[in-house]
Amino acid sequence: MHCLISGGTGLIGRLFCQRWLDRGNTITVLSRHPERVRSLCGESASACRDPAEVSQPVDIVVNLAGAPISRRWTEKYRSTIRSSRLGTTEQLVRWTLRQRQKPSYFLSGSAIGYYGNRGGELLKEGSAPGGGFAAQLCRDWEAATAPLQQCGVKVGIIRTAIVLSMRGGALPQMLPAFRLGLGGPMGSGEHWMSWIHEEDQVGLMLHAIDNHLCQPFNGSAPEPVTNNSFARILAKELHRPAIFRTPAWVLKMIFGEMADELLLTSDRVEPCTAVETGYSFQFPTLEQALADLLKGDGAITKASA
């Protein structure tokens, strides 16, 4: 099968390309820097700047493009966040609709930011959207695929939680402080964090493609934790304490609106569709996920303590 992917050189995109190619499939990566694609996504990966350049029929479209969201949201950068997601999605939708032989499935990204700050409410795929910049972004991002659904193209939308990886994302940014014994909860630490191991994120994407899941589904592990628990479990894995709490006002001063909507927001998400359609998580608990990602790290730290 041939897949056309946007965001293929990103954190999840690179791993998806590897796993897709491991299956004996082919892939074309839509990228502004096609010269970097083979080194990042695999030697057999093809690259293009525009989907119009693709000559081989495409069976699957995977849409993951988007500027990083975990930085201060200035007015200018909020525009970049939106345009990088909506613009690429609209481009791929238009291209798909023009194809005589249309792809059989279109998997598009979104995020659990769709639900907004919901405290301890257990959030399922059918839960109502929340408010704020991130929630509106996700609603618009998902709505951009509507023309495909109206024309009979099968569309799946993955609402991704915090992806845990040692290759990028939130975890490597947390580790220096925690390794020094200076890590701890953010704010009150009572807010819920939904997360997913990178292998399960890609595994769930492949599951959606294999089963043509045609609805929004949560890309999150089945056991969300509070921020207090996350800090405690991470510190325990590194054989360090977790006693240094970062006050909410400090986070807001540094990160502005992003602190409220990402760092301190509470999302207790349940992956109902994944479980109901038979996906088996490799790393269902945070302890299992961190133990895998920090292989060797805890032992080294313990030995040097």
Side-chain angles (χ1 to χ4, degrees), residues 123-156:
L123 301 168
K124 305 179 180 182
E125 284 86 354
S127 298
F133 171 74
Q136 186 63 56
L137 169 67
C138 291
R139 290 201 299 274
D140 294 343
W141 196 5
E142 295 182 14
T145 65
L148 293 177
Q149 300 173 55
Q150 293 164 3
C151 290
V153 177
K154 294 179 179 178
V155 177

PDB file of all heavy atoms in Angstrom, residues 123-156:
ATOM      1  N   LEU A 123     -13.534  12.043  29.972  1.00  0.00           N
ATOM      2  CA  LEU A 123     -13.837  12.503  28.619  1.00  0.00           C
ATOM      3  C   LEU A 123     -13.748  11.356  27.621  1.00  0.00           C
ATOM      4  O   LEU A 123     -12.709  10.704  27.487  1.00  0.00           O
ATOM      5  CB  LEU A 123     -12.871  13.625  28.230  1.00  0.00           C
ATOM      6  CG  LEU A 123     -12.905  14.849  29.153  1.00  0.00           C
ATOM      7  CD1 LEU A 123     -11.726  15.776  28.871  1.00  0.00           C
ATOM      8  CD2 LEU A 123     -14.222  15.592  29.002  1.00  0.00           C
ATOM      9  N   LYS A 124     -14.845  11.133  26.916  1.00  0.00           N
ATOM     10  CA  LYS A 124     -14.904  10.116  25.871  1.00  0.00           C
ATOM     11  C   LYS A 124     -15.073  10.809  24.522  1.00  0.00           C
ATOM     12  O   LYS A 124     -15.272  12.015  24.462  1.00  0.00           O
ATOM     13  CB  LYS A 124     -16.060   9.158  26.147  1.00  0.00           C
ATOM     14  CG  LYS A 124     -15.993   8.521  27.525  1.00  0.00           C
ATOM     15  CD  LYS A 124     -17.154   7.589  27.777  1.00  0.00           C
ATOM     16  CE  LYS A 124     -17.067   6.966  29.171  1.00  0.00           C
ATOM     17  NZ  LYS A 124     -18.172   6.005  29.431  1.00  0.00           N
ATOM     18  N   GLU A 125     -14.990  10.035  23.452  1.00  0.00           N
ATOM     19  CA  GLU A 125     -15.056  10.637  22.120  1.00  0.00           C
ATOM     20  C   GLU A 125     -16.331  11.444  21.897  1.00  0.00           C
ATOM     21  O   GLU A 125     -16.330  12.408  21.144  1.00  0.00           O
ATOM     22  CB  GLU A 125     -14.924   9.563  21.048  1.00  0.00           C
ATOM     23  CG  GLU A 125     -13.511   9.048  20.838  1.00  0.00           C
ATOM     24  CD  GLU A 125     -13.097   7.922  21.765  1.00  0.00           C
ATOM     25  OE1 GLU A 125     -13.880   7.588  22.682  1.00  0.00           O
ATOM     26  OE2 GLU A 125     -11.993   7.371  21.588  1.00  0.00           O
ATOM     27  N   GLY A 126     -17.397  11.070  22.552  1.00  0.00           N
ATOM     28  CA  GLY A 126     -18.657  11.777  22.376  1.00  0.00           C
ATOM     29  C   GLY A 126     -18.824  12.985  23.268  1.00  0.00           C
ATOM     30  O   GLY A 126     -19.850  13.676  23.186  1.00  0.00           O
ATOM     31  N   SER A 127     -17.834  13.275  24.119  1.00  0.00           N
ATOM     32  CA  SER A 127     -17.927  14.432  25.006  1.00  0.00           C
ATOM     33  C   SER A 127     -17.919  15.719  24.203  1.00  0.00           C
ATOM     34  O   SER A 127     -17.296  15.809  23.138  1.00  0.00           O
ATOM     35  CB  SER A 127     -16.767  14.430  26.005  1.00  0.00           C
ATOM     36  OG  SER A 127     -16.797  13.285  26.831  1.00  0.00           O
ATOM     37  N   ALA A 128     -18.591  16.724  24.722  1.00  0.00           N
ATOM     38  CA  ALA A 128     -18.688  18.011  24.022  1.00  0.00           C
ATOM     39  C   ALA A 128     -17.331  18.706  23.968  1.00  0.00           C
ATOM     40  O   ALA A 128     -16.482  18.499  24.840  1.00  0.00           O
ATOM     41  CB  ALA A 128     -19.698  18.907  24.742  1.00  0.00           C
ATOM     42  N   PRO A 129     -17.104  19.543  22.953  1.00  0.00           N
ATOM     43  CA  PRO A 129     -15.854  20.308  22.896  1.00  0.00           C
ATOM     44  C   PRO A 129     -15.810  21.357  23.994  1.00  0.00           C
ATOM     45  O   PRO A 129     -16.841  21.769  24.534  1.00  0.00           O
ATOM     46  CB  PRO A 129     -15.902  20.954  21.508  1.00  0.00           C
ATOM     47  CG  PRO A 129     -17.356  21.023  21.165  1.00  0.00           C
ATOM     48  CD  PRO A 129     -17.982  19.822  21.799  1.00  0.00           C
ATOM     49  N   GLY A 130     -14.593  21.796  24.324  1.00  0.00           N
ATOM     50  CA  GLY A 130     -14.414  22.811  25.342  1.00  0.00           C
ATOM     51  C   GLY A 130     -14.229  24.184  24.730  1.00  0.00           C
ATOM     52  O   GLY A 130     -14.515  24.411  23.550  1.00  0.00           O
ATOM     53  N   GLY A 131     -13.727  25.112  25.542  1.00  0.00           N
ATOM     54  CA  GLY A 131     -13.493  26.472  25.082  1.00  0.00           C
ATOM     55  C   GLY A 131     -12.011  26.820  25.112  1.00  0.00           C
ATOM     56  O   GLY A 131     -11.196  26.083  25.661  1.00  0.00           O
ATOM     57  N   GLY A 132     -11.671  27.941  24.518  1.00  0.00           N
ATOM     58  CA  GLY A 132     -10.280  28.373  24.477  1.00  0.00           C
ATOM     59  C   GLY A 132      -9.655  28.194  23.108  1.00  0.00           C
ATOM     60  O   GLY A 132     -10.247  27.585  22.199  1.00  0.00           O
ATOM     61  N   PHE A 133      -8.463  28.725  22.952  1.00  0.00           N
ATOM     62  CA  PHE A 133      -7.775  28.696  21.663  1.00  0.00           C
ATOM     63  C   PHE A 133      -7.537  27.270  21.169  1.00  0.00           C
ATOM     64  O   PHE A 133      -7.810  26.946  20.008  1.00  0.00           O
ATOM     65  CB  PHE A 133      -6.441  29.441  21.765  1.00  0.00           C
ATOM     66  CG  PHE A 133      -5.570  29.286  20.557  1.00  0.00           C
ATOM     67  CD1 PHE A 133      -5.866  29.947  19.375  1.00  0.00           C
ATOM     68  CD2 PHE A 133      -4.444  28.474  20.597  1.00  0.00           C
ATOM     69  CE1 PHE A 133      -5.063  29.805  18.249  1.00  0.00           C
ATOM     70  CE2 PHE A 133      -3.631  28.324  19.481  1.00  0.00           C
ATOM     71  CZ  PHE A 133      -3.940  28.991  18.309  1.00  0.00           C
ATOM     72  N   ALA A 134      -7.006  26.398  22.046  1.00  0.00           N
ATOM     73  CA  ALA A 134      -6.678  25.040  21.623  1.00  0.00           C
ATOM     74  C   ALA A 134      -7.918  24.265  21.200  1.00  0.00           C
ATOM     75  O   ALA A 134      -7.900  23.533  20.205  1.00  0.00           O
ATOM     76  CB  ALA A 134      -5.943  24.303  22.743  1.00  0.00           C
ATOM     77  N   ALA A 135      -8.998  24.423  21.949  1.00  0.00           N
ATOM     78  CA  ALA A 135     -10.238  23.705  21.616  1.00  0.00           C
ATOM     79  C   ALA A 135     -10.802  24.180  20.283  1.00  0.00           C
ATOM     80  O   ALA A 135     -11.240  23.361  19.458  1.00  0.00           O
ATOM     81  CB  ALA A 135     -11.265  23.892  22.731  1.00  0.00           C
ATOM     82  N   GLN A 136     -10.804  25.491  20.065  1.00  0.00           N
ATOM     83  CA  GLN A 136     -11.303  26.018  18.791  1.00  0.00           C
ATOM     84  C   GLN A 136     -10.422  25.569  17.634  1.00  0.00           C
ATOM     85  O   GLN A 136     -10.922  25.226  16.552  1.00  0.00           O
ATOM     86  CB  GLN A 136     -11.367  27.544  18.833  1.00  0.00           C
ATOM     87  CG  GLN A 136     -12.002  28.171  17.599  1.00  0.00           C
ATOM     88  CD  GLN A 136     -13.452  27.760  17.431  1.00  0.00           C
ATOM     89  OE1 GLN A 136     -14.269  27.946  18.334  1.00  0.00           O
ATOM     90  NE2 GLN A 136     -13.782  27.198  16.272  1.00  0.00           N
ATOM     91  N   LEU A 137      -9.110  25.545  17.849  1.00  0.00           N
ATOM     92  CA  LEU A 137      -8.182  25.066  16.830  1.00  0.00           C
ATOM     93  C   LEU A 137      -8.525  23.637  16.435  1.00  0.00           C
ATOM     94  O   LEU A 137      -8.599  23.308  15.244  1.00  0.00           O
ATOM     95  CB  LEU A 137      -6.750  25.148  17.362  1.00  0.00           C
ATOM     96  CG  LEU A 137      -5.670  24.451  16.533  1.00  0.00           C
ATOM     97  CD1 LEU A 137      -5.484  25.149  15.194  1.00  0.00           C
ATOM     98  CD2 LEU A 137      -4.349  24.407  17.303  1.00  0.00           C
ATOM     99  N   CYS A 138      -8.726  22.769  17.427  1.00  0.00           N
ATOM    100  CA  CYS A 138      -9.022  21.372  17.133  1.00  0.00           C
ATOM    101  C   CYS A 138     -10.356  21.221  16.418  1.00  0.00           C
ATOM    102  O   CYS A 138     -10.482  20.403  15.492  1.00  0.00           O
ATOM    103  CB  CYS A 138      -9.011  20.555  18.423  1.00  0.00           C
ATOM    104  SG  CYS A 138      -7.365  20.367  19.157  1.00  0.00           S
ATOM    105  N   ARG A 139     -11.350  21.995  16.818  1.00  0.00           N
ATOM    106  CA  ARG A 139     -12.652  21.912  16.145  1.00  0.00           C
ATOM    107  C   ARG A 139     -12.515  22.308  14.676  1.00  0.00           C
ATOM    108  O   ARG A 139     -13.053  21.646  13.781  1.00  0.00           O
ATOM    109  CB  ARG A 139     -13.673  22.819  16.838  1.00  0.00           C
ATOM    110  CG  ARG A 139     -14.091  22.334  18.204  1.00  0.00           C
ATOM    111  CD  ARG A 139     -15.429  22.938  18.642  1.00  0.00           C
ATOM    112  NE  ARG A 139     -15.391  24.388  18.740  1.00  0.00           N
ATOM    113  CZ  ARG A 139     -14.998  25.054  19.817  1.00  0.00           C
ATOM    114  NH1 ARG A 139     -14.570  24.398  20.884  1.00  0.00           N
ATOM    115  NH2 ARG A 139     -15.027  26.373  19.847  1.00  0.00           N
ATOM    116  N   ASP A 140     -11.786  23.390  14.419  1.00  0.00           N
ATOM    117  CA  ASP A 140     -11.607  23.845  13.036  1.00  0.00           C
ATOM    118  C   ASP A 140     -10.767  22.854  12.235  1.00  0.00           C
ATOM    119  O   ASP A 140     -11.023  22.624  11.040  1.00  0.00           O
ATOM    120  CB  ASP A 140     -10.947  25.223  13.024  1.00  0.00           C
ATOM    121  CG  ASP A 140     -11.842  26.302  13.614  1.00  0.00           C
ATOM    122  OD1 ASP A 140     -13.063  26.069  13.743  1.00  0.00           O
ATOM    123  OD2 ASP A 140     -11.315  27.385  13.971  1.00  0.00           O
ATOM    124  N   TRP A 141      -9.772  22.280  12.863  1.00  0.00           N
ATOM    125  CA  TRP A 141      -8.883  21.314  12.223  1.00  0.00           C
ATOM    126  C   TRP A 141      -9.681  20.081  11.791  1.00  0.00           C
ATOM    127  O   TRP A 141      -9.539  19.589  10.667  1.00  0.00           O
ATOM    128  CB  TRP A 141      -7.797  20.951  13.228  1.00  0.00           C
ATOM    129  CG  TRP A 141      -6.579  20.263  12.705  1.00  0.00           C
ATOM    130  CD1 TRP A 141      -6.259  19.998  11.413  1.00  0.00           C
ATOM    131  CD2 TRP A 141      -5.505  19.767  13.508  1.00  0.00           C
ATOM    132  NE1 TRP A 141      -5.046  19.359  11.350  1.00  0.00           N
ATOM    133  CE2 TRP A 141      -4.564  19.208  12.621  1.00  0.00           C
ATOM    134  CE3 TRP A 141      -5.246  19.736  14.874  1.00  0.00           C
ATOM    135  CZ2 TRP A 141      -3.380  18.630  13.074  1.00  0.00           C
ATOM    136  CZ3 TRP A 141      -4.065  19.160  15.322  1.00  0.00           C
ATOM    137  CH2 TRP A 141      -3.146  18.621  14.428  1.00  0.00           C
ATOM    138  N   GLU A 142     -10.526  19.609  12.680  1.00  0.00           N
ATOM    139  CA  GLU A 142     -11.349  18.445  12.356  1.00  0.00           C
ATOM    140  C   GLU A 142     -12.387  18.774  11.292  1.00  0.00           C
ATOM    141  O   GLU A 142     -12.656  17.978  10.382  1.00  0.00           O
ATOM    142  CB  GLU A 142     -12.022  17.925  13.631  1.00  0.00           C
ATOM    143  CG  GLU A 142     -11.033  17.380  14.656  1.00  0.00           C
ATOM    144  CD  GLU A 142     -11.695  16.809  15.898  1.00  0.00           C
ATOM    145  OE1 GLU A 142     -12.929  16.594  15.863  1.00  0.00           O
ATOM    146  OE2 GLU A 142     -10.978  16.565  16.894  1.00  0.00           O
ATOM    147  N   ALA A 143     -12.968  19.975  11.398  1.00  0.00           N
ATOM    148  CA  ALA A 143     -14.006  20.377  10.437  1.00  0.00           C
ATOM    149  C   ALA A 143     -13.459  20.506   9.021  1.00  0.00           C
ATOM    150  O   ALA A 143     -14.216  20.371   8.042  1.00  0.00           O
ATOM    151  CB  ALA A 143     -14.628  21.701  10.877  1.00  0.00           C
ATOM    152  N   ALA A 144     -12.151  20.736   8.896  1.00  0.00           N
ATOM    153  CA  ALA A 144     -11.552  20.904   7.568  1.00  0.00           C
ATOM    154  C   ALA A 144     -11.630  19.637   6.734  1.00  0.00           C
ATOM    155  O   ALA A 144     -11.475  19.681   5.510  1.00  0.00           O
ATOM    156  CB  ALA A 144     -10.092  21.357   7.708  1.00  0.00           C
ATOM    157  N   THR A 145     -11.880  18.486   7.380  1.00  0.00           N
ATOM    158  CA  THR A 145     -11.999  17.224   6.631  1.00  0.00           C
ATOM    159  C   THR A 145     -13.432  16.955   6.166  1.00  0.00           C
ATOM    160  O   THR A 145     -13.672  15.972   5.461  1.00  0.00           O
ATOM    161  CB  THR A 145     -11.536  16.025   7.491  1.00  0.00           C
ATOM    162  OG1 THR A 145     -12.435  15.874   8.610  1.00  0.00           O
ATOM    163  CG2 THR A 145     -10.119  16.237   7.999  1.00  0.00           C
ATOM    164  N   ALA A 146     -14.386  17.817   6.545  1.00  0.00           N
ATOM    165  CA  ALA A 146     -15.797  17.578   6.228  1.00  0.00           C
ATOM    166  C   ALA A 146     -16.063  17.360   4.738  1.00  0.00           C
ATOM    167  O   ALA A 146     -16.874  16.490   4.380  1.00  0.00           O
ATOM    168  CB  ALA A 146     -16.656  18.720   6.766  1.00  0.00           C
ATOM    169  N   PRO A 147     -15.431  18.107   3.827  1.00  0.00           N
ATOM    170  CA  PRO A 147     -15.704  17.864   2.393  1.00  0.00           C
ATOM    171  C   PRO A 147     -15.401  16.436   1.959  1.00  0.00           C
ATOM    172  O   PRO A 147     -16.079  15.907   1.068  1.00  0.00           O
ATOM    173  CB  PRO A 147     -14.783  18.874   1.689  1.00  0.00           C
ATOM    174  CG  PRO A 147     -14.608  19.971   2.685  1.00  0.00           C
ATOM    175  CD  PRO A 147     -14.557  19.285   4.011  1.00  0.00           C
ATOM    176  N   LEU A 148     -14.416  15.800   2.580  1.00  0.00           N
ATOM    177  CA  LEU A 148     -14.101  14.413   2.243  1.00  0.00           C
ATOM    178  C   LEU A 148     -15.236  13.494   2.657  1.00  0.00           C
ATOM    179  O   LEU A 148     -15.672  12.625   1.892  1.00  0.00           O
ATOM    180  CB  LEU A 148     -12.817  13.972   2.947  1.00  0.00           C
ATOM    181  CG  LEU A 148     -11.516  14.630   2.505  1.00  0.00           C
ATOM    182  CD1 LEU A 148     -10.366  14.126   3.366  1.00  0.00           C
ATOM    183  CD2 LEU A 148     -11.233  14.343   1.035  1.00  0.00           C
ATOM    184  N   GLN A 149     -15.719  13.692   3.878  1.00  0.00           N
ATOM    185  CA  GLN A 149     -16.785  12.838   4.391  1.00  0.00           C
ATOM    186  C   GLN A 149     -18.054  13.004   3.557  1.00  0.00           C
ATOM    187  O   GLN A 149     -18.785  12.037   3.308  1.00  0.00           O
ATOM    188  CB  GLN A 149     -17.039  13.178   5.854  1.00  0.00           C
ATOM    189  CG  GLN A 149     -15.805  12.962   6.735  1.00  0.00           C
ATOM    190  CD  GLN A 149     -15.989  13.464   8.154  1.00  0.00           C
ATOM    191  OE1 GLN A 149     -16.932  13.074   8.836  1.00  0.00           O
ATOM    192  NE2 GLN A 149     -15.110  14.321   8.610  1.00  0.00           N
ATOM    193  N   GLN A 150     -18.309  14.233   3.109  1.00  0.00           N
ATOM    194  CA  GLN A 150     -19.493  14.493   2.297  1.00  0.00           C
ATOM    195  C   GLN A 150     -19.418  13.810   0.941  1.00  0.00           C
ATOM    196  O   GLN A 150     -20.446  13.536   0.315  1.00  0.00           O
ATOM    197  CB  GLN A 150     -19.669  15.998   2.130  1.00  0.00           C
ATOM    198  CG  GLN A 150     -20.004  16.720   3.431  1.00  0.00           C
ATOM    199  CD  GLN A 150     -19.798  18.222   3.360  1.00  0.00           C
ATOM    200  OE1 GLN A 150     -19.452  18.759   2.295  1.00  0.00           O
ATOM    201  NE2 GLN A 150     -20.001  18.912   4.471  1.00  0.00           N
ATOM    202  N   CYS A 151     -18.182  13.530   0.486  1.00  0.00           N
ATOM    203  CA  CYS A 151     -17.997  12.871  -0.809  1.00  0.00           C
ATOM    204  C   CYS A 151     -17.749  11.369  -0.669  1.00  0.00           C
ATOM    205  O   CYS A 151     -17.361  10.712  -1.643  1.00  0.00           O
ATOM    206  CB  CYS A 151     -16.838  13.514  -1.559  1.00  0.00           C
ATOM    207  SG  CYS A 151     -17.208  15.177  -2.144  1.00  0.00           S
ATOM    208  N   GLY A 152     -17.922  10.851   0.536  1.00  0.00           N
ATOM    209  CA  GLY A 152     -17.836   9.408   0.723  1.00  0.00           C
ATOM    210  C   GLY A 152     -16.461   8.869   1.022  1.00  0.00           C
ATOM    211  O   GLY A 152     -16.285   7.636   1.086  1.00  0.00           O
ATOM    212  N   VAL A 153     -15.453   9.724   1.213  1.00  0.00           N
ATOM    213  CA  VAL A 153     -14.116   9.248   1.581  1.00  0.00           C
ATOM    214  C   VAL A 153     -14.122   8.906   3.070  1.00  0.00           C
ATOM    215  O   VAL A 153     -14.624   9.673   3.899  1.00  0.00           O
ATOM    216  CB  VAL A 153     -13.042  10.316   1.289  1.00  0.00           C
ATOM    217  CG1 VAL A 153     -11.668   9.838   1.753  1.00  0.00           C
ATOM    218  CG2 VAL A 153     -13.022  10.639  -0.194  1.00  0.00           C
ATOM    219  N   LYS A 154     -13.569   7.766   3.421  1.00  0.00           N
ATOM    220  CA  LYS A 154     -13.518   7.355   4.826  1.00  0.00           C
ATOM    221  C   LYS A 154     -12.457   8.173   5.562  1.00  0.00           C
ATOM    222  O   LYS A 154     -11.305   8.227   5.129  1.00  0.00           O
ATOM    223  CB  LYS A 154     -13.215   5.863   4.929  1.00  0.00           C
ATOM    224  CG  LYS A 154     -14.340   4.988   4.358  1.00  0.00           C
ATOM    225  CD  LYS A 154     -14.008   3.515   4.446  1.00  0.00           C
ATOM    226  CE  LYS A 154     -15.156   2.674   3.891  1.00  0.00           C
ATOM    227  NZ  LYS A 154     -14.845   1.223   3.925  1.00  0.00           N
ATOM    228  N   VAL A 155     -12.868   8.791   6.665  1.00  0.00           N
ATOM    229  CA  VAL A 155     -11.981   9.700   7.409  1.00  0.00           C
ATOM    230  C   VAL A 155     -11.929   9.301   8.874  1.00  0.00           C
ATOM    231  O   VAL A 155     -12.964   9.077   9.516  1.00  0.00           O
ATOM    232  CB  VAL A 155     -12.475  11.163   7.302  1.00  0.00           C
ATOM    233  CG1 VAL A 155     -11.601  12.089   8.138  1.00  0.00           C
ATOM    234  CG2 VAL A 155     -12.488  11.616   5.843  1.00  0.00           C
ATOM    235  N   GLY A 156     -10.729   9.216   9.396  1.00  0.00           N
ATOM    236  CA  GLY A 156     -10.520   9.023  10.828  1.00  0.00           C
ATOM    237  C   GLY A 156      -9.767  10.219  11.387  1.00  0.00           C
ATOM    238  O   GLY A 156      -8.947  10.824  10.686  1.00  0.00           O
TER     239      GLY A 156
END
